Amino acid sequence: MMGSVQILSVSSLKGGVGKTSVTMGLASAALHQGVRTLVVDLDPHADSTTGLAVTRGTGTEAGQLLRDAKRADINDHLVRSGWVDLLPKEQRAKAKLDVVVGSALSAAFDRPDIRPRDMRRLKLLLDRVTGYDLVLIDCPPSLAGLTRIGWAASAGVLLVAEPSLFSVAGTERTMRAIRMFSNEYAPQLKSAGVVVNRARADSTEHEYRLLEMERLYKDKLMLPVLEENPFWQQIQGAAYPVHQWPGDQVRDLAKSFDQLLKQLV
């Protein structure tokens, strides 16, 4: 367990690569390993909030907290993930997985011309957070205001990519954007690594793109690669943690998230 909180933004500048899926897989691993975790849902679609079994309308959503950043104590506005109730009774008391709920209201901050003082709003809130080892910020798939708000509050950015031409190009753009943003606004910010999602072992194209990623990103490419799993959509649709899913069909996927989490924390 860590002495101080680790704050990571989960990002991609290309939509549809499974950024929220990776956020939820890491949250499931954290719950499984006893890492006290807060998920901040900055995406106006609020898919993380739904996937973490949080009822819409509970808690104070992210957009309102950002508006009240100077006055609000974030600890008073967090909602417990419904995943905690799925744990065995003896683990439930010690487990901690909470959510800053997302909603469309946060889109008010998703402007391309966001002011530097507005970029610091989430950092102000998270500076007051207590009792967590890990904060995962699920950012929208763009480089507008909300992603910059997430990055300004983070120590690192975890990039999610697929082994495809457009995703590789998008990841390169994101890495350049992180360097520029770090130089200008957030000197503490680093690229924490690149997670490859939805890889298929039977695809020649995927194999080629993985080799390309190894060459481009070297030590930033995180292993293991997350393989395509036909049950993943069903798990998310059920708002269920992958580590609690019955049967052996996703055991390897759960283990992969365990290994990735250990590298991050």
Side-chain angles (χ1 to χ4, degrees), residues 38-231:
L38 172 64
V39 176
V40 180
D41 191 354
L42 276 192
D43 195 325
H45 291 115
D47 291 337
S48 284
T49 298
T50 303
L52 288 158
V54 170
T55 306
R56 293 286 180 97
T58 56
T60 304
E61 61 83 42
Q64 188 60 51
L65 284 174
L66 290 172
R67 278 190 196 127
D68 298 338
K70 287 184 179 176
R71 297 181 299 277
D73 185 342
I74 193 171
N75 300 286
D76 296 335
H77 299 279
L78 307 175
V79 181
R80 191 174 76 151
S81 167
W83 289 4
V84 176
D85 297 326
L86 301 171
L87 293 172
K89 190 177 275 187
E90 62 276 9
Q91 291 178 33
R92 222 175 289 161
K94 292 183 180 177
K96 194 166 187 180
L97 177 59
D98 294 332
V99 183
V100 172
V101 298
S103 87
L105 291 173
S106 58
F109 287 93
D110 211 24
R111 304 184 305 270
D113 59 343
I114 188 167
R115 297 170 299 184
R117 70 181 184 192
D118 287 332
M119 280 191 268
R120 292 191 285 271
R121 286 175 179 268
L122 183 59
K123 185 178 188 309
L124 277 175
L125 288 163
L126 292 181
D127 280 347
R128 301 176 202 130
V129 81
T130 55
Y132 298 94
D133 306 303
L134 176 66
V135 177
L136 295 171
I137 304 170
D138 187 13
C139 298
S142 69
L143 191 53
L146 286 170
T147 293
R148 295 180 199 187
I149 284 170
W151 288 5
S154 300
V157 180
L158 184 67
L159 300 175
V160 180
E162 284 182 327
S164 69
L165 171 64
F166 298 127
S167 185
V168 171
T171 303
E172 285 194 81
R173 285 199 308 275
T174 313
M175 285 184 137
R176 285 197 299 271
I178 291 167
R179 285 194 292 272
M180 290 171 63
F181 187 83
S182 176
N183 288 338
E184 199 163 349
Y185 299 110
Q188 85 289 349
L189 187 69
K190 303 276 187 298
S191 169
V194 179
V195 171
V196 181
N197 192 32
R198 294 178 179 161
R200 293 199 311 274
D202 61 349
S203 169
T204 306
E205 170 68 6
H206 281 203
E207 188 179 350
Y208 175 80
R209 294 301 169 193
L210 281 169
L211 289 170
E212 186 179 28
M213 287 173 157
E214 284 177 21
R215 179 176 56 80
L216 286 170
Y217 310 136
K218 299 182 175 68
D219 59 331
K220 292 290 184 186
L221 188 67
M222 297 184 69
L223 298 174
V225 167
L226 297 170
E227 294 190 1
E228 181 80 65
N229 189 296
F231 291 92

Side-chain angles (χ1 to χ4, degrees), residues 10-33:
V10 185
S11 287
S12 167
L13 296 197
K14 182 186 180 300
V17 298
K19 169 187 57 65
T20 297
S21 303
V22 170
T23 303
M24 291 199 292
L26 291 171
S28 177
L31 186 63
H32 181 67
Q33 294 177 29

Side-chain angles (χ1 to χ4, degrees), residues 237-252:
Y240 224 80
V242 64
H243 290 74
Q244 297 290 111
W245 193 253
D248 296 334
Q249 302 99 331
V250 294
R251 188 171 289 171
D252 288 343

